[in-house]
Amino acid sequence: MPTPLALAVDFGGTKVEAALVDVEGRVVPGTRHRRPTGPTATTDDLDAAVAEVVGATRASLPDDAELAGLGAGVAGPIDVATGRVSPLNVPAWRGHPLRDRLVDLVPGVPVVLRIDGLCIALAEHWVGAAAGTRGENLMGMVVSTGVGGGLVIGGRAVASPTGNGGHIGHIEVGGFDDRCSCGGRGCLEAIASGPRTVAWARTQGFTGTTGEDLARAHAAGDPVALAAVERSGTAIGQAIASATNLLDLDLVAIGGGFSRVSPALFDHARAAVAERTGFAFATRVEIVPSGLSDEGPLIGAAALVHRPELVV
Amino acid sequence: MPTPLALAVDFGGTKVEAALVDVEGRVVPGTRHRRPTGPTATTDDLDAAVAEVVGATRASLPDDAELAGLGAGVAGPIDVATGRVSPLNVPAWRGHPLRDRLVDLVPGVPVVLRIDGLCIALAEHWVGAAAGTRGENLMGMVVSTGVGGGLVIGGRAVASPTGNGGHIGHIEVGGFDDRCSCGGRGCLEAIASGPRTVAWARTQGFTGTTGEDLARAHAAGDPVALAAVERSGTAIGQAIASATNLLDLDLVAIGGGFSRVSPALFDHARAAVAERTGFAFATRVEIVPSGLSDEGPLIGAAALVHRPELVV
């Protein structure tokens, strides 16, 4: 019998990637391909980039394997009913029929498209921080250029009616008033994303410009960097407290580039949850680093193919 | 065949009620019984009150009916694994084995105990504002002495690991800094409950003392009452915006005494959602008054018996 492999696609604001993934959630070495996307790409550029990574990955299918399906995780918002996507940071695509394009690229192969946050939550549940016995209610979070995520409730990823559930970055945070691009006040993303944290630090005299600069300054004990990481970590904890008051979460797994600015980010988040909710069911939530490498989104996209029973 | 009826129990901070409910979600006339609870009752008083309403309701079982089960909705927090309850406003009960007590009262009859917010969401989904075709993802909310609620996700009420999901009153609200009894800052309950709204109005010169006073002043066009209802309605909308960004809700149904202070409360909530989120998937959420009378919690408790497939 041929080995069933999923063709996993991860489409985001800076790049599109594809790879083959096996039924254990392992990326097959040598099958991962990448192209840039970005805010200045035209819709034709983007379609070409997707076709190139899908074609290259498909061409690397071993002779003793078969394509079980194509699973795609895409930056939101999306419309799961029509398969059209409108990634916030990719202005050329508004209502772009990405699922139809993917179907055309792999005729006869089942195609499933979901938001990237759902794929991340699914990957944490399948092979990441929540694999095994760490609970049935969990949130996967990404703290990076933006703040996003996805939910697993009762052991299954929540696809949600339009496909857009999991926007933890747009939970408002008490005591903050910063206007968010979504129109909210004090949304988590407007406070705790990498760029927003750096921007706040600069208002306090920090002279670096990147999350990496802030990480180095934090490691060196710079007081402004310490304060910036505390402020963002606390806000992350406040948003998690709100989410777990609502959802009775077992676990929150946080990945993304800026989540690695310092382990102190996690300590501040945990302290905020402990302080900010008097409910034992809420303070029990574990906050841990993602158990996934940068292959996480691809693995989650592959889970859409290999483990459809894990999605509501 | 005898008619299957559920013995529904609703236990809260001011009263405990029981009634028989049929498979269509109708309370059987003449079977509803009530006793006070309250913060000064002893644990024996409370056990006696529960025994009395359950006994009186059971005694009203018609000859041609049979008891299909007992369903109980209880003010939280609860521990669904052990059936122990610790209602916040009933200090005599901390870890009280209510489910065991109920089992003793109706030997041989199945007993299911869940948090009251879940019962309310379930009742809205079964026979209330969300009955029929108004969506699979909904939140039932109660705005009264406190602010609580429950969730239906993918067509099923979310029981959650400890049984305590749905605490929308402890979602933080951007731009507010009020300390909440749970330890949070700007929790919705600390802003928009009936007593907190009246307390804020009094800081602005309002001389009434109850939600009813505020409703009358609002109807008469009193500027402070208008501002107080706008402030609380806006906060409710902000919390709903956060919740629907996270959960992609179709519908929020709001009941509870203070929700009837004025239809303007709903208008302000809707305006806040429209203003505070730029995502079409989030602004589509409908915010409507509860479709349930004051029988709602009993009907939801009965659904635990008659419609167990509606609970995850």
Side-chain angles (χ1 to χ4, degrees):
Chain A
M1 268 215 11
T3 305
L5 296 175
L7 200 167
V9 176
D10 173 38
F11 185 94
T14 57
K15 64 183 190 305
V16 56
E17 289 194 285
L20 297 172
V21 180
D22 72 14
V23 294
E24 306 292 331
R26 290 174 303 219
V27 171
V28 178
T31 69
R32 188 172 174 184
H33 299 274
R34 176 187 304 201
R35 292 288 182 283
T37 54
T40 59
T42 67
T43 186
D44 286 349
D45 293 341
L46 296 165
D47 278 332
V50 170
E52 285 168 28
V53 294
V54 169
T57 296
R58 190 172 197 190
S60 47
L61 189 73
D63 288 343
D64 62 348
E66 68 174 0
L67 216 50
L70 184 152
V74 186
I78 68 170
D79 180 348
V80 80
T82 62
R84 289 175 179 269
V85 306
S86 309
L88 208 54
N89 299 313
V90 183
W93 277 5
R94 287 294 172 267
H96 186 71
L98 178 59
R99 190 171 61 206
D100 289 348
R101 294 281 188 279
L102 293 169
V103 167
D104 291 344
L105 292 174
V106 288
V109 173
V111 171
V112 188
L113 180 152
R114 292 286 183 271
I115 199 165
D116 50 4
L118 180 131
C119 292
I120 286 157
L122 198 48
E124 294 287 2
H125 182 49
W126 186 25
V127 297
T133 57
R134 294 182 76 174
E136 294 284 287
N137 273 22
L138 70 105
M139 183 160 65
M141 275 180 80
V142 175
V143 181
S144 179
T145 312
V147 176
L151 297 167
V152 170
I153 301 295
R156 299 203 296 172
V158 178
S160 87
T162 70
N164 290 290
H167 274 74
I168 181 70
H170 299 279
I171 286 260
E172 295 186 1
V173 179
F176 287 92
D177 216 0
D178 316 50
R179 274 282 165 190
C180 179
S181 56
C182 83
R185 292 170 74 183
C187 286
L188 179 61
E189 180 168 289
I191 301 157
S193 73
R196 288 294 191 118
T197 306
V198 170
W200 181 83
R202 289 177 62 87
T203 68
Q204 310 296 307
F206 179 66
T207 56
T209 55
T210 67
E212 290 75 15
D213 294 340
L214 196 69
R216 278 186 293 272
H218 191 280
D222 174 72
V224 169
L226 294 175
V229 169
E230 177 171 358
R231 179 176 182 273
S232 290
T234 300
I236 290 168
Q238 290 181 251
I240 290 173
S242 287
T244 200
N245 279 333
L246 194 58
L247 292 169
D248 193 10
L249 296 169
D250 299 309
L251 183 78
V252 176
I254 311 179
F258 192 68
S259 74
R260 293 185 282 274
V261 67
S262 163
L265 191 78
F266 286 78
D267 296 334
H268 292 304
R270 293 181 188 115
V273 171
E275 180 192 341
R276 275 159 217 282
T277 179
F279 300 122
F281 80 85
T283 52
R284 77 189 175 88
V285 66
E286 281 188 83
I287 303 175
V288 300
S290 167
L292 304 165
S293 69
D294 71 348
E295 294 173 343
L298 289 168
I299 293 169
L304 299 172
V305 172
H306 288 311
R307 301 295 299 272
E309 78 281 8
L310 294 181
V311 183
V312 172
Chain B
M1 268 213 17
T3 306
L5 296 176
L7 201 168
V9 176
D10 173 38
F11 185 95
T14 58
K15 63 181 189 306
V16 55
E17 289 196 284
L20 298 172
V21 179
D22 72 14
V23 295
E24 305 293 332
R26 290 174 303 219
V27 171
V28 179
T31 68
R32 187 171 174 185
H33 299 274
R34 174 188 306 201
R35 294 285 181 285
T37 54
T40 60
T42 67
T43 187
D44 287 348
D45 293 341
L46 296 166
D47 278 332
V50 170
E52 286 168 27
V53 295
V54 169
T57 296
R58 191 173 196 190
S60 48
L61 189 72
D63 288 343
D64 62 348
E66 67 174 2
L67 215 49
L70 184 153
V74 186
I78 68 171
D79 179 348
V80 80
T82 63
R84 290 175 179 269
V85 306
S86 310
L88 209 54
N89 299 312
V90 183
W93 278 5
R94 287 294 171 270
H96 186 72
L98 179 59
R99 190 171 61 204
D100 289 350
R101 294 280 188 279
L102 293 169
V103 166
D104 291 344
L105 292 174
V106 289
V109 173
V111 171
V112 188
L113 181 151
R114 292 286 183 272
I115 200 165
D116 49 4
L118 180 131
C119 293
I120 286 158
L122 198 47
E124 295 286 1
H125 183 48
W126 188 24
V127 297
T133 56
R134 293 182 79 173
E136 295 283 287
N137 272 24
L138 69 106
M139 183 160 62
M141 276 181 78
V142 174
V143 181
S144 178
T145 313
V147 176
L151 297 167
V152 170
I153 301 295
R156 298 203 297 172
V158 178
S160 87
T162 71
N164 291 290
H167 274 74
I168 181 70
H170 300 279
I171 286 260
E172 295 186 1
V173 179
F176 288 92
D177 217 359
D178 316 50
R179 274 282 166 192
C180 179
S181 55
C182 83
R185 291 169 75 181
C187 286
L188 179 61
E189 181 168 287
I191 301 157
S193 73
R196 290 293 192 117
T197 306
V198 170
W200 181 83
R202 290 178 62 88
T203 68
Q204 310 296 307
F206 179 64
T207 57
T209 55
T210 67
E212 290 75 14
D213 294 340
L214 196 70
R216 277 187 294 271
H218 191 280
D222 174 73
V224 171
L226 294 175
V229 168
E230 178 170 359
R231 181 175 181 272
S232 289
T234 300
I236 290 168
Q238 289 181 253
I240 290 172
S242 287
T244 200
N245 279 333
L246 195 57
L247 292 168
D248 193 8
L249 297 169
D250 299 308
L251 182 78
V252 176
I254 310 179
F258 192 68
S259 74
R260 293 185 284 273
V261 66
S262 162
L265 191 78
F266 286 78
D267 295 334
H268 293 303
R270 292 182 189 114
V273 171
E275 180 192 342
R276 276 160 218 282
T277 178
F279 300 123
F281 80 86
T283 52
R284 77 189 175 89
V285 66
E286 281 189 83
I287 303 176
V288 300
S290 166
L292 304 166
S293 69
D294 71 350
E295 295 173 343
L298 289 168
I299 293 169
L304 299 172
V305 172
H306 288 312
R307 302 295 299 273
E309 79 280 7
L310 295 181
V311 183
V312 173

